[in-house]
Amino acid sequence: MGKNVYSSETKWAVMKGKMRGKLTTKEILEKYGNKNKTQIETWMKWY
């Protein structure tokens, strides 16, 4: 399988949803097709 590349807009949408408490990690994984929760945690560190 190839690498998934996410736009900065997608990353911001994930971070906003997570920080505001509107989306759970599981919901993010399903909605945006992220491979695992570590990816989301990494984005949280970056932003």
Side-chain angles (χ1 to χ4, degrees), residues 28-47:
I28 291 170
L29 293 174
E30 292 172 359
K31 184 174 182 178
Y32 294 99
N34 296 65
K35 293 182 179 180
N36 58 51
K37 69 177 187 163
T38 306
Q39 186 175 46
I40 297 166
E41 292 168 359
T42 300
W43 292 354
M44 292 291 284
K45 289 178 189 176
W46 290 350
Y47 294 99

